Amino acid sequence: MQKHVLMDTSPHIEIKHITQTTNKAVFVLYYQQINESNDAIVKSLQFYFKSKELMKDINSGKQVKIYSLNEDDPFTYVIVQLATNPRQDGANIARKASNKIATQKTEDNSMSVLLPHNYTIHDIAEFNFGFQLANYRWTYQSIKEGGKSSSFPIHYLYLITPISQEDYLSQMEQKWNLKYLHHLVKPILRLRELVPTRPNIATTGFMKNYILDIVKGFGDKVTSTLIEGDELLTAGLRLIHAVGRGSIHKPFYSCLSYKGKPENDKYFALVGKGVVFDTGGLSIKTTSSMEQMYDDKGGACTVLETFRAVVELGLPINVVCSTAWVENSVGPDSYRVSDVIQSYKGITVEILNTDAEGRLILADAMSYAQDKFHIQEMIELSTLTGIIKNALGRYCGVFTNRKGCYSLLQKVEKITKEPFWALPLEDQHRDLIKGNVADINNSSSGRVGASAAAAFLECFVEKKVRWMHWDIANVAVTDKSEGIYTKGGTGFGVMSLIYYMTWDIVSKELKELKEENDEDDN
């Protein structure tokens, strides 16, 4: 098997806080009150800021390069980028500004950025978060044996700000919201690298070892169960076994648990679909439909990296990470259309389409977690249906059995800026998967495919469990750089899951932050 080195966890960019520029090329985030600043660079630019043509270009969103007129100016040139006060328009503005700056080329792999003088520590954290995500490049085409798949164009970032680096780093560890912006960059980047890793590298065996390394690193903080190959049959995980048995790469199931709140026996369950490659099985896909199926493991990768972040941060919550890993391939032992298979829960399923495999392995993964742990709430992520792309574009489709779950998710969305859209799950969709031979069918023959798939999954949710299904098929990867994402894996979902599970903690901090900012503005 080809050896491959995933991105390591060491820092890829050194960020320093300085009070004056160390090089002559400076990026300035411009906003209307910038002239109030006492910064020497700003003062030297005031002549330029009085130009109506310059202001017109800035307000239109153009980047404006300004060269110095004399030797007394403390710069060779600056590039001015329009920025809005993040406290007024949401902290994501700082992320967007940082992304635009990070795409600029520099000769020495370093960059100086003059931040608006009223940027708080929270605003700077947002800027750094966005900059580091925008500074990541997935460069798979350059991979050789034993090579790495990522690069980071900017190695040194100098932030010109009156807030010292010591104060900044000290504050980072005092509030969860700031911790997230500081510490979630790495798990998001790991996810962005893992999802597009090609199937000849990221086999089920590769992912098994990846998980075992995570477990080993956490010691007794994490308990784990791993069931592989024919042992799945003994454990009752027949659906996972059926989907994966046609491949030379053994299917397996992984269940990790972490108890960050020992006095409570209730858990969040994060469930993910890990199809390392999907040919469609005997209901084989066309070539064009198959070529991006390396990303069909996106759901499992997302919940795995989210779980890792939960443990690394030591969050005061109990979490189970339940993932099923298969290659849906064609072989002499492939499962067939018309097979009837009994699930872990006991529900029988007739196979009408072997390309509707994701819901099968998720059904067993959901049931196992609920059987072994006291699950209060379950969030399942999967690149489940292609039709979701046509329906929602760059939104994540959400299905739930509790309106309150989506209401809370909408609050989270305002902070993380990861877009979600609720879709219907009603009796008309449940009727589509009712079986004649078995209890249910795994396909609705293409009719309202996303809702029918959700109806299938709903059959495996216990009555008292709050449940959401996130169909991330259209947001797990992107073929172009836009917003806070660069081409490749997006890292979608990690932040939203973390904020959602700890909303009772971070919401209080966000309320306090808003009150402080309102008081400052008054």
Side-chain angles (χ1 to χ4, degrees), residues 5 67 122-123 144 155 164 178 213 240 246 258-259 302 317 325 387 414 453 469:
V5 181
Y67 293 90
H122 183 268
D123 301 332
K144 296 180 180 178
H155 297 170
S164 71
L178 291 174
D213 285 344
I240 298 175
Y258 163 76
K259 202 163 190 178
T302 304
I317 54 177
W325 300 87
I387 197 67
K414 291 179 181 179
H469 157 51

Side-chain angles (χ1 to χ4, degrees), residues 428-501:
Q428 60 173 310
H429 307 121
R430 298 179 182 104
D431 290 341
L432 292 172
I433 53 101
K434 286 183 178 178
N436 294 318
V437 176
D439 296 323
I440 54 177
N441 303 322
N442 82 321
S443 176
S444 61
S445 301
R447 292 173 290 173
V448 284
S451 291
F456 181 94
L457 294 173
E458 185 189 38
C459 296
F460 300 89
V461 181
E462 302 301 326
K463 289 184 178 180
K464 293 184 179 181
V465 175
R466 293 161 58 91
W467 164 71
M468 278 193 292
H469 157 51
W470 296 4
D471 194 333
I472 62 170
N474 52 338
V475 292
V477 296
T478 180
D479 58 1
K480 62 180 180 179
S481 298
E482 61 178 337
I484 66 170
Y485 307 120
T486 54
K487 185 177 179 180
T490 62
F492 185 98
V494 173
M495 283 202 79
S496 293
L497 287 171
I498 294 289
Y499 270 89
Y500 185 93
M501 291 188 293

Side-chain angles (χ1 to χ4, degrees), residues 153-165:
I154 304 301
H155 297 170
Y156 303 97
L157 173 64
Y158 300 100
L159 299 180
I160 306 172
T161 169
I163 298 176
S164 71
Q165 193 155 11

Side-chain angles (χ1 to χ4, degrees), residues 6-65:
L6 288 175
M7 182 185 68
D8 60 38
T9 56
S10 60
H12 298 283
I13 182 170
E14 183 177 347
I15 300 176
K16 291 185 176 180
H17 291 222
I18 56 177
T19 56
Q20 58 185 4
T21 181
T22 58
N23 56 14
K24 292 188 175 183
V26 182
F27 288 81
V28 178
L29 292 190
Y30 175 80
Y31 64 103
Q32 297 299 328
Q33 293 79 24
I34 198 167
N35 291 337
E36 298 174 7
S37 174
N38 292 322
D39 190 279
I41 295 175
V42 174
K43 282 187 173 183
S44 69
L45 292 173
Q46 286 181 356
F47 170 80
Y48 300 104
F49 289 153
K50 293 177 182 178
S51 165
K52 291 183 179 179
E53 288 301 316
L54 175 66
M55 293 302 300
K56 182 179 178 181
D57 286 343
I58 292 174
N59 289 322
S60 68
K62 292 182 179 179
Q63 288 183 338
V64 183
K65 183 180 285 188

Side-chain angles (χ1 to χ4, degrees), residues 52 79 94 117 130 149 168 189 248 271 298 305 319 330 383 401 482 502:
K52 291 183 179 179
I79 292 182
H117 73 277
S149 60
Y168 174 79
L189 291 181
I248 60 171
V271 183
E305 291 301 337
V319 182
V330 177
T383 50
N401 62 353
E482 61 178 337
T502 59

